[in-house]
Amino acid sequence: FYMDADNDLEEPQMNDLDELMKIGRSANINIIVLADRSTKDEKHRGYTNRAVGRIANWTNTKLLMVEKGYLRELEDWGEANMGDPATLKRFLQTATENLPAKKYALIFGDHGEGWHGIVGDESHGGDTLNAGELPNALREITAKIGKLELIGFDACLMANFETAQAIAPYGRAMVASEELEPGDGWNYTPTMQALTANPAMDGFALGKIIVNTYRDYYLGADQGARDKTVTLSVIDLTKIPALEAAANDLALTNS
């Protein structure tokens, strides 16, 4: 989880960590989080100074392992710029080298602006990872470990062709929202329950669970239909090159 909470989504993202801690890692699953927090407090909407996972409020960037009921700090990275592709690259290298796995999923948590960028690090001028920078961070690591099973964007407006095109060479399945996401974002506890029960599932199966638990959280009758405008989808990234070719042919035909 690449979690930039150095902005006005700090409070809901700390709640996401709470959801993850209800399940925690298992014998077959590691949950590694790079989490950057803000210096602002509750006087500003969306921010919090509360302790999370038995760790007192931090205002820099920490590498964490999610255990059941608490967070275990692995490293303190100081005030890292989450909008710098070098930070993402370092995170992926650290996680995959120190905690190797048969399958990997990468989840981004923060604001989203489509191809303009994911995350917005306020301590670094709102710097984002845009569609041009993501490949630079993903190319080297996937050359070593193979394609990521799933690349997910727990953020607004990321389910577009340009984003999918940028990451298609580096992942199998993509999960993202076409429209704005509510601040609460994805529903992580039931997702992790399902993954823990079947850790061998592929990225498409995991993606469907993410989508279905999200749908149930916001649209389920027992939830009072929290938000009827939500969208979330699983995209097969292996289909993107054919879509790109078709779009190019259409443009040439009509030029």
Side-chain angles (χ1 to χ4, degrees), residues 99 115 135:
L99 296 160
W115 63 89

Side-chain angles (χ1 to χ4, degrees), residues 174-197:
M174 166 179 160
V175 176
S177 173
E178 179 184 1
E179 294 288 348
L180 298 174
E181 278 196 3
D184 286 348
W186 295 1
N187 193 9
Y188 287 104
T189 300
T191 295
M192 295 310 303
Q193 283 176 327
L195 182 59
T196 300

Side-chain angles (χ1 to χ4, degrees), residues 201-219:
M201 71 173 68
D202 64 15
F204 296 102
L206 177 58
K208 290 177 182 178
I209 289 169
I210 293 169
V211 169
N212 290 341
T213 56
Y214 181 85
R215 175 201 62 200
D216 294 345
Y217 181 79
Y218 289 105
L219 302 178

Side-chain angles (χ1 to χ4, degrees), residues 10 38-49:
E10 181 184 21
S38 174
T39 58
K40 295 181 181 178
D41 59 22
E42 289 85 353
K43 287 184 278 188
H44 301 84
R45 184 177 180 181
Y47 299 85
T48 180
N49 280 352

